[in-house]
Amino acid sequence: MVVIHGNRRLTTSRTRDTRARFRRAPLSSHGTDLRRPPLLHRGPQGSPEALYRLRWLVGERKHSKSYTLKVQAEGRRSELMSAVRRGDQFDEELGLPVSELRAKQGSITWYEHSRTYVDRKWALAPAKSRKNYADALATITPALVKTKTGMPDAALMRRALYGWAYNRNRRDETPPDDVAGALAWISKHSLPVSALEDPATVRLALDALSLRLDGKEASPRTAKRKRACLSDVLGLAVEEQYFSMPVNPIRAVKWTAPKSVEAVDPESVANPRQVRALLAGVREQGSRGRHLEAFFGCLYYAAMRPAEATALRVSQCHLPEAGWGCSPSGREWSGRGATGPTTEGA
């Protein structure tokens, strides 16, 4: 077999065709120099090994790659030599330039990565956690796209992601045409994971999980649960070395969960007559009844917190001979005079 090595012609023994398997390399390492230029072989004509094989050595590891056409092999050899001339480091395990590995890893999209996350979690996760993963990712993924042009409507996209993309139990089933179309669209337009190194992109995901499908604010508990899932997915991206720095980018974004705004049903709130009756009933409960009446009276009449009512002292109050008195505490903050009745003078 003839080996082309630069401008020299060398003779070598026939070797078995092997193809290197791609595995992700630790890109944070400095890599290794290519120890010798790649060598180009060709197997015997008419044999199954009649392929053009490229062989090179990185550190102490031998690497090879086979091509059907000579021009392909020479083109790849030229690429490797160009990396050497640029001074690129090579990953010893994979035999590839570190810059090339980074480019390949940078092509991984958020959609692909999030499905990988679900696959890793699925086997050991209970049914409730599986639903929570799907719910969170179906909320976040539509926000991490390159463009909104041509995007399927929100309800269809949610059904496709929640019910199919993030449900491993349905991976072997054929989805309806509209669902398949939605999944094809998100697969094509999803942002690369590396884009989430930009805090503005992380903010897009956080804004999305803070809202419900109808556009209203999500509950604080739901938003926090989905943020935890987002952080976990980004943590996996850090572990897979998709980012230039080994830091979870969500830490760089300040975020506050939506505040809980719940309307109070007026029928569930005691009216003044009922409160007076309740306080009178408390007063009749043994030796501590009068003390507890004053305590609950402060909570109702002065809208005090329990700790504020407990810390209240007689010197802070204006108490009449009979009936409820008042406390001036808080006037410097409210801009008003004394607060309403707080404790009984008797």
Side-chain angles (χ1 to χ4, degrees), residues 203-217:
R203 175 69 63 186
L204 293 175
L206 292 172
D207 289 345
L209 62 82
S210 299
L211 299 174
R212 302 187 314 193
L213 193 60
D214 61 5
K216 297 181 180 179
E217 281 193 345

Side-chain angles (χ1 to χ4, degrees), residues 9-323:
R9 295 173 63 85
L10 306 176
T11 302
T12 184
S13 60
R14 179 171 155 183
T15 56
R16 182 169 57 90
D17 175 38
T18 58
R19 292 179 182 271
R21 294 180 60 193
F22 178 80
R23 291 189 300 159
R24 193 163 288 107
L27 299 187
S28 59
S29 64
H30 295 293
T32 307
D33 290 327
L34 186 68
R35 289 190 57 185
R36 65 178 64 166
L39 308 179
L40 182 60
H41 310 229
R42 186 182 183 187
Q45 289 288 346
S47 72
E49 295 182 355
L51 299 172
Y52 291 90
R53 297 193 58 217
L54 196 64
R55 301 199 316 181
W56 65 100
L57 186 67
V58 180
E60 300 299 327
R61 297 290 297 272
K62 295 179 180 179
H63 300 277
S64 64
K65 180 73 173 178
S66 298
Y67 299 89
T68 304
L69 302 177
K70 182 178 180 180
V71 66
Q72 295 174 328
E74 290 180 336
R76 181 55 176 157
R77 181 180 185 277
S78 177
E79 291 175 353
L80 294 176
M81 292 304 298
S82 294
V84 172
R85 286 190 288 269
R86 291 195 304 268
D88 286 2
Q89 294 291 299
F90 280 66
D91 178 80
E92 186 170 356
E93 182 181 357
L94 302 178
L96 300 176
V98 171
S99 58
E100 183 175 313
L101 292 176
R102 288 193 185 279
K104 286 184 177 180
Q105 293 184 18
S107 66
I108 302 296
T109 66
W110 166 263
Y111 176 66
E112 292 175 288
H113 176 64
S114 60
R115 281 166 61 91
T116 300
Y117 170 83
V118 170
D119 290 346
R120 292 198 179 189
K121 291 285 190 178
W122 194 267
L124 300 179
K128 180 65 175 177
S129 295
R130 293 174 179 178
K131 288 182 62 178
N132 287 340
Y133 297 149
D135 179 35
L137 294 173
T139 302
I140 296 167
T141 299
L144 301 178
V145 293
K146 302 171 186 175
T147 178
K148 298 284 187 177
T149 304
M151 186 175 186
D153 67 81
L156 172 58
M157 184 60 73
R158 167 137 186 119
R159 181 161 59 92
L161 294 172
Y162 179 80
W164 294 86
Y166 298 124
N167 184 352
R168 281 199 62 184
N169 290 338
R170 305 187 76 176
R171 293 281 175 86
D172 297 331
E173 300 179 25
T174 302
D177 291 343
D178 56 346
V179 170
L183 295 179
W185 189 94
I186 198 70
S187 178
K188 180 179 179 181
H189 295 91
S190 181
L191 287 171
V193 178
S194 57
L196 278 94
E197 282 194 282
D198 183 356
T201 306
V202 178
R203 175 69 63 186
L204 293 175
L206 292 172
D207 289 345
L209 62 82
S210 299
L211 299 174
R212 302 187 314 193
L213 193 60
D214 61 5
K216 297 181 180 179
E217 281 193 345
S219 69
R221 182 177 179 181
T222 298
K224 289 177 181 178
R225 172 174 55 79
K226 292 181 178 181
R227 183 191 181 278
C229 181
L230 172 62
S231 179
D232 208 20
V233 179
L234 292 176
L236 177 60
V238 173
E239 179 183 327
E240 296 291 342
Q241 301 184 15
Y242 291 146
F243 302 134
S244 60
M245 298 293 290
V247 178
N248 192 324
I250 201 170
R251 297 179 183 177
V253 181
K254 187 176 181 180
W255 179 81
T256 304
K259 295 182 179 179
S260 179
V261 180
E262 298 181 3
V264 178
D265 182 3
E267 296 183 0
S268 66
V269 180
N271 60 42
R273 179 183 60 78
Q274 292 171 325
V275 171
R276 288 193 295 269
L278 289 170
L279 292 175
V282 170
R283 185 184 182 92
E284 297 173 1
Q285 302 304 309
S287 59
R288 289 183 56 82
R290 294 177 61 189
H291 176 80
L292 292 175
E293 179 192 20
F295 174 77
F296 288 113
C298 289
L299 268 58
Y300 177 74
Y301 288 117
M304 287 186 176
R305 299 182 180 90
E308 293 173 334
T310 302
L312 191 62
R313 297 293 180 264
V314 174
S315 60
Q316 298 173 297
C317 304
H318 298 292
L319 302 177
E321 291 297 327

